[in-house]
Amino acid sequence: MLKAENLTKKYGDHTALHDLNLNIASGEVYCMLGANGAGKTTTINLLMGFIEATSGHAWIDGLEVRPGNLAIRKRIAYIPEQVMLYPMLTGLQNLRYFSELSGRKSTPYQLKEWLLAAGLQEEAHSKKLNTYSKGMRQKVGISIALAKQAKVLLMDEPTSGLDPYASNELSRLVGELSQNGMTILMATHDLFRAREDAHRIGIMKKGVLVRELETKAVNLHELEKEYLHIIGSHLHTV
């Protein structure tokens, strides 16, 4: 469903991403771990078609990713670290607008069902986005992915700023989306959630995918040890 082959992005003499090779199956959850500047967000921007690769190729659902490719945009949904929706519109109005923007029209009943399926309680549907928490805004983003029938969901630091309850609820939704066949690529610093949610984990360093792990083959302690070894960081005690 999602494939990258020698995907590279350079900015002058700086290589933000170097020869990335990925092959993520339909319904798979893949988490990218790495420090800031490791290449995680660059990867997402390339797959979204926001920026153009210096070399290499990427495909989503068999279609090659290129900037401005509307057929690709219809197949993917994107939830950034700060979910950008219209603050003065309600959750329901945001969902209606963005689903119609993708070329899909839904009845008011269907829109409510998408919001409920994303975990947003009905009393919040008619409230403006500027009253929502980050977790609630993410649920509207997930409902948009459901309404447009996206095949791939890209998420950039989705657990950043979430309390433990909201983070756990997001994990539940990710699991449900995966079971229903949606492919999910998540860039994160959250080792715990990566270990809990992903089928596979990739560890990035300085634009290079250094290691891939099957989550069922490692526990959290082993993952943390491997991650710290790769990025060359050390735990500090106070």
Side-chain angles (χ1 to χ4, degrees):
M1 179 55 66
L2 191 158
K3 183 177 180 181
E5 189 174 276
N6 300 322
L7 197 61
T8 298
K9 181 61 181 178
K10 294 183 178 182
Y11 295 97
D13 294 333
H14 172 66
T15 301
L17 190 68
H18 178 69
D19 281 348
L20 176 68
N21 289 286
L22 276 180
N23 204 330
I24 306 176
S26 179
E28 185 178 5
V29 180
Y30 189 102
C31 281
M32 275 188 169
L33 293 173
N36 291 333
K40 306 185 304 296
T41 298
T42 299
T43 299
I44 288 178
N45 286 336
L46 285 166
L47 293 172
M48 287 290 299
F50 289 162
I51 57 178
E52 189 170 4
T54 304
S55 61
H57 304 275
W59 297 266
I60 289 176
D61 196 22
L63 299 176
E64 186 167 3
V65 177
R66 296 182 184 277
N69 189 332
L70 295 180
I72 291 288
R73 293 286 179 90
K74 289 181 178 180
R75 287 166 167 78
I76 57 178
Y78 173 50
I79 299 181
E81 183 174 358
Q82 298 299 327
V83 184
M84 303 301 291
L85 299 169
Y86 289 102
M88 299 310 294
L89 297 181
T90 67
L92 192 65
Q93 288 169 335
N94 268 282
L95 174 57
R96 179 186 296 115
Y97 174 76
F98 284 103
S99 61
E100 289 182 358
L101 196 64
S102 71
R104 297 184 182 276
K105 291 188 177 182
S106 303
T107 66
Y109 174 80
Q110 288 172 322
L111 293 172
K112 289 183 178 181
E113 288 298 301
W114 295 131
L115 288 169
L116 290 171
L120 191 69
Q121 296 184 352
E122 190 167 1
E123 57 265 28
H125 295 186
S126 58
K127 293 181 179 179
K128 292 182 178 180
L129 261 288
N130 59 9
T131 67
Y132 280 25
S133 66
K134 176 179 177 177
M136 294 169 71
R137 293 195 301 273
Q138 284 182 335
K139 290 173 183 177
V140 177
I142 290 172
S143 73
I144 292 169
L146 293 171
K148 70 184 290 190
Q149 299 179 27
K151 294 186 176 184
V152 174
L153 177 61
L154 306 174
M155 308 179 82
D156 197 356
E157 299 295 347
T159 61
S160 173
L162 295 183
D163 61 48
Y165 180 84
S167 182
N168 184 70
E169 195 170 13
L170 177 65
S171 289
R172 179 186 62 80
L173 288 169
V174 165
E176 290 179 358
L177 294 172
S178 169
Q179 289 175 8
N180 290 326
M182 190 178 289
T183 301
I184 299 170
L185 174 62
M186 183 189 305
T188 182
H189 289 99
D190 192 335
L191 272 69
F192 175 75
R193 286 299 166 196
R195 171 61 184 80
E196 291 295 304
D197 298 346
H199 297 98
R200 285 188 296 151
I201 294 172
I203 302 178
M204 304 282 293
K205 182 179 180 180
K206 295 182 179 179
V208 177
L209 178 60
V210 177
R211 183 80 187 276
E212 283 190 326
L213 301 165
E214 298 276 349
T215 52
K216 63 183 179 182
V218 293
N219 59 35
L220 181 59
H221 175 72
E222 291 167 335
L223 173 61
E224 181 182 50
K225 184 178 179 180
E226 182 70 10
Y227 176 76
L228 292 174
H229 172 72
I230 288 173
I231 67 170
S233 297
H234 303 280
L235 292 176
H236 298 274
T237 56
V238 177

